[in-house]
C-alpha cells in the first residue's frame, strides 16, 4: 500500500510544482528541491523527499550562529511552539533548518501550498531576528567597514540599531541622491 501512497504523493507534488511559479528540480526520483523567494532572506532552498511512509520537508534557514547560541536556540525553541507542521532544528554543524514530516496520505496540492507558505513565513520572517541574535558582532563589523570606505549600508538598514551612530548621529544609509 505504501508504494501506491508514494506514487500518489509524487503525482500531487508534481501537479503542485507545475502549477506554481516556483523554481524547482528533481535530482533523484522522489526528491524535489524548491527555491522559495523571500524578502528578508532572498531565497530559501527547500527539499521534499518522498519516503516509504512520509514526506520529509527540509529547508535551510541560516548557518551556525557566530555568537549567542543559547539566545538563538532558545528563541527558535520558543518559536516552535507556534508553528504549523514544521519545527526549527540544528544539524551536527549547528546550521539552522526547518524540518517536518507529513504522512503520504496527507500530501495534496492544498497541503503542499500550506507547507510551502509556512516554510516561507518561518524562514523569511525569522531571518533578521536570527541574524540579529547570532551575528550582531559581524553585522557591526560589516557596518563599520562599509562606513570607513564610504560604501553603502542600505542593505543593512534593518540592523541600523546595532551599528554605531554615524558622525551626524544617524546611521549611514549610503550615498545620497540628488
Amino acid at each position: 500500500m505504501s508504494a501506491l501512497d508514494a506514487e500518489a504523493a509524487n503525482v500531487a507534488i508534481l501537479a503542485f510544482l507545475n502549477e506554481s511559479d516556483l523554481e524547482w528540480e528533481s535530482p533523484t526520483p522522489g526528491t524535489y528541491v524548491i527555491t522559495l523567494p523571500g524578502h528578508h532572506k532572498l531565497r530559501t532552498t527547500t527539499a521534499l523527499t518522498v519516503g516509504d511512509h512520509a514526506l520529509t520537508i527540509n529547508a535551510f534557514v541560516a548557518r551556525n550562529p557566530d555568537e549567542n547560541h543559547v539566545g538563538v536556540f532558545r528563541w527558535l525553541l520558543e518559536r516552535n511552539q507556534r508553528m504549523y507542521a514544521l519545527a526549527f532544528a540544528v544539524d551536527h554543524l549547528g546550521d539552522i533548518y526547518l524540518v517536518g514530516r507529513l504522512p503520504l496520505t496527507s500530501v495534496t496540492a492544498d497541503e503542499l501550498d500550506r507547507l510551502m507558505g509556512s516554510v516561507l513565513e518561518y524562514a523569511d520572517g525569522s531571518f533578521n531576528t536570527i541574524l540579529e541574535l547570532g551575528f550582531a558582532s559581524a553585522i557591526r563589523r560589516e557596518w563599520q567597514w562599509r562606513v570607513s570606505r564610504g560604501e553603502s549600508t542600505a542593505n543593512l538598514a534593518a540592523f541600523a540599531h546595532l551599528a554605531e551612530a554615524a558622525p551626524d548621529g544617524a546611521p549611514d544609509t549610503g550615498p545620497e541622491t540628488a
Side-chain angles (χ1 to χ4, degrees):
M1 179 107 141
S2 67
L4 293 176
D5 292 341
E7 184 179 331
N10 280 301
V11 168
I13 292 167
L14 285 170
F16 167 77
L17 292 172
N18 288 327
E19 290 293 317
S20 74
D21 288 332
L22 299 172
E23 292 180 33
W24 65 277
E25 62 180 346
S26 182
T28 60
T31 300
Y32 307 89
V33 179
I34 305 161
T35 302
L36 300 174
H39 176 69
H40 303 290
K41 181 174 173 40
L42 297 181
R43 66 183 154 275
T44 300
T45 303
T46 304
L48 302 179
T49 305
V50 177
D52 290 337
H53 304 286
L55 174 70
T56 302
I57 302 106
N58 208 349
F60 178 78
V61 177
R63 67 178 176 82
N64 184 5
D66 290 344
E67 60 196 16
N68 189 21
H69 288 87
V70 170
V72 173
F73 297 153
R74 180 183 177 101
W75 186 86
L76 294 174
L77 287 171
E78 288 174 355
R79 178 89 174 160
N80 278 350
Q81 297 178 78
R82 301 183 308 272
M83 293 171 44
Y84 174 77
L86 299 164
F88 284 107
V90 296
D91 68 5
H92 67 284
L93 299 173
D95 293 341
I96 301 167
Y97 288 83
L98 283 166
V99 298
R101 278 195 178 78
L102 185 69
L104 292 180
T105 56
S106 298
V107 178
T108 65
D110 286 343
E111 189 60 19
L112 290 166
D113 186 53
R114 201 170 4 265
L115 283 170
M116 292 304 98
S118 294
V119 168
L120 186 57
E121 171 62 28
Y122 303 146
D124 194 60
S126 300
F127 191 64
N128 282 359
T129 300
I130 292 168
L131 293 182
E132 184 174 326
L133 290 171
F135 300 92
S137 295
I139 292 168
R140 284 186 192 98
R141 283 192 305 274
E142 178 69 14
W143 189 288
Q144 291 168 352
W145 181 86
R146 289 183 187 192
V147 168
S148 73
R149 286 162 179 73
E151 300 286 332
S152 172
T153 57
N155 69 337
L156 297 175
F159 307 105
H161 62 283
L162 295 176
E164 300 263 329
D168 65 354
D172 175 22
T173 57
E176 293 184 14
T177 57

